[in-house]
Amino acid sequence: MSPIFPINDHKDSAPSTTVSPDPLRSSHACPTTPPTPALIPDTQGRFDWRTIPRRHSIDQYSQLPLGKPSPRPSVQHTFGAASIEAKNGIASRKEAVREVFKRCWKSYKDRAWTKDELAPISGGARYTFGSWGATLVDTLDTLWIMEMRQEFAEAVDAAVQIDFGPKIDGEINVFETIIRYLGGFIGAYDVSGCHDARLLNKAIEVADMAYASFDTPNRMPVSRWSPKKAVNGEEQLPAESVLIAEAASASVEFTRLSQLTGDMRYFDAISRVTNVLDKQQGSTKLPGMWPISVNMRKPDLTFDGFFGLGAMADSVYEYLPKMHQLLNGIGPVAAQYHRMYEYAMSTAITHTLFRPMVHDNADILIAGANVDGKRDDKGQHLVCFAGGMFALGGRLFENTTHIDIGRRISEGCAWTYKNAPNGIMPEVFSMTACPTWSACDYTSQPDSSPFSEVGDGRYVLRPEAIESIFYMYRITGEAKYQDIAWEMFQAVSSHTRTEFANAAIRDVMKTPVEKYDSMESFWLAETLKYFYLIFSEPDEISLDDFVLNTEAHPFRIPSR
Ligand code: DMJ
């Protein structure tokens, strides 16, 4: 490895990030191929996670596939030359989203600066994800995208001071650390044009900590992992029962970091997990899908009978087509992700999706679950991401059926928003299924609740519904999705508004809604970003140039 890494040339000046012109649209300094030799980070005298005792060494690292990107169709619709924002008052919608974001950011800055979350009702701070400043890091790239460059520079200056050393007693959630912090630093580095080496240094610092959680006998990660034990050289083993999303969702972040640094340890780590998923994909109780609960110590992914694309599994599926795209479709590794995607989706289509019986016979689908071989007709807010995933996969792999399924799932989420009493979908609900995906006779009263049961009535400021509507808009170019988004935005922003920011709702089925004191970092990192981007010019974070991680952090696809 090379001992030389771009030196931090910004350290004493604040604000310090100066980049021009706008790297979202023009020149950037991101590598088109991984640097050789690999970069070594400048840890600025902070704790160096590379120095901790290693228990299980590796003979040979898997290498990122190199070569000519395979030709693939555009993901995005070919939009005309005319400005989208100028049309139909779209610019004012975009500005309205920005205003909501700015208000939240100001309160975070005034009241919870560098803390994990703003408490949006009491105006205090919350410590939820490692106490390193989850909202600060998670929001960096949104600040850049919303052209709040001064605020971006101030936030970067604060974020690069975070100490990820082993101070925390107890365990951290490695998955959340990877998607919010590592994803946040990579996203900020990529969208701002790869000019500020401090951001890459920070990404490496977080990744080196997370990488230590893979130092186990079978190289499967420890999902709830103690930094202190690792530093003390204590053995930590992968759990015998762990959520698959936590165990197997680091592929996009670790791959992008290997692309940016040339350090193959990260790519190697996630390749080993992918190979286990691949090997056992056909031996589970619902072949093609992996259950929610898995044993990573053996590893054995075959014992549990609870399956679904939603909570606790979601990002495992989401990352299959995204990995193919991030790898530019190159070689057998990209083909592996494609194959796994096709297999998983064919099972999910047959065994989890259903058409709900609704009064207006809307042609929509809900992504349910499957328990011990029987479909469970429950919907969740979290699973709404699947609309975007199917549409993206359909575009990447030229599968119009998947695009149509993506449309029907996305519109199913929009339908539940529209037909819920306050215009916001609950967290978990049940609906009566039609016998097939064709229209069926409606047997309830048109003014009754669209849900046969609401298992969890909260709305916690989640992004997945607008995420899928955003994908549908960028993929089809149909303006109706901007109108759906605007309706959703108005409902969400008004019902969640507090004195300081926006807060989660306890029960969306009650009027007036009751809020509680929580604003997770994904509100600023994801939800408002998607609302903003759907009203932006389509070349702002084009889906042909960027892959978005599961926390909506845009990672640049190399060579494009
Ligand atoms: C986000 O932290 C990520 O999208 C994650 O994959 C699951 N859900 C939350 C937002 O709802």
Side-chain angles (χ1 to χ4, degrees), residues 175 179-180 314 382 462-464 522 526 550-551:
F175 163 75
I179 66 169
R180 298 185 199 224
D314 41 14
L382 273 161
R462 287 196 193 284
E464 293 78 13
F522 50 65
E526 298 192 69
T550 190
E551 192 75 2

Side-chain angles (χ1 to χ4, degrees), residues 54 56-58 211 214-221 269 272-273:
R54 190 192 292 178
H56 306 281
S57 57
I58 291 174
Y211 181 72
F214 288 73
D215 187 14
T216 63
N218 62 7
R219 300 302 305 179
M220 296 299 110
R272 290 167 195 270
V273 177

Side-chain angles (χ1 to χ4, degrees), residues 129 138 175-176 179-180 245 249 311-312 314-315 318-319 381-382 385 427 460-464 467 520-523 526-527 530 549-552:
F129 290 105
D138 223 4
F175 163 75
E176 296 289 359
I179 66 169
R180 298 185 199 224
S249 298
M312 301 170 285
D314 41 14
S315 37
E318 174 188 350
Y319 277 6
H381 198 290
L382 273 161
F385 88 92
E427 179 84 346
V460 302
L461 303 172
R462 287 196 193 284
E464 293 78 13
E467 172 181 348
E520 280 218 42
S521 62
F522 50 65
W523 170 244
E526 298 192 69
T527 313
Y530 287 122
N549 90 330
T550 190
E551 192 75 2

Side-chain angles (χ1 to χ4, degrees), residues 19-40:
V19 182
S20 64
D22 185 347
L24 280 185
R25 290 201 169 91
S26 54
S27 64
H28 61 79
C30 306
T32 51
T33 52
T36 44
L39 304 179
I40 290 184

Side-chain angles (χ1 to χ4, degrees), residues 287-306:
M289 294 182 78
W290 304 276
I292 305 281
S293 178
V294 293
N295 178 338
M296 293 308 272
R297 192 170 302 174
K298 275 190 173 168
D300 175 9
L301 282 51
T302 65
F303 64 87
D304 183 35
F306 183 17

Side-chain angles (χ1 to χ4, degrees), residues 237-316:
L237 297 173
E240 290 176 292
S241 177
V242 59
L243 303 176
I244 190 154
E246 291 190 6
S249 298
S251 53
V252 165
E253 293 82 2
F254 271 17
T255 297
R256 182 65 188 137
L257 196 61
S258 286
Q259 290 175 339
L260 287 168
T261 61
D263 186 338
M264 294 301 140
R265 290 176 310 141
Y266 313 114
F267 180 68
D268 174 82
I270 58 89
S271 299
R272 290 167 195 270
V273 177
T274 300
N275 289 340
V276 168
L277 293 181
D278 191 3
K279 202 163 164 204
Q280 299 195 27
Q281 187 172 16
S283 339
T284 69
K285 290 186 173 165
L286 193 62
M289 294 182 78
W290 304 276
I292 305 281
S293 178
V294 293
N295 178 338
M296 293 308 272
R297 192 170 302 174
K298 275 190 173 168
D300 175 9
L301 282 51
T302 65
F303 64 87
D304 183 35
F306 183 17
F307 296 81
L309 294 176
M312 301 170 285
D314 41 14
S315 37
V316 172

Side-chain angles (χ1 to χ4, degrees), residues 194-209:
C194 301
H195 295 283
D196 190 340
R198 297 175 305 164
L199 290 166
L200 185 55
N201 272 316
K202 251 8 232 185
I204 296 170
E205 198 177 323
V206 178
D208 283 346
M209 172 175 64

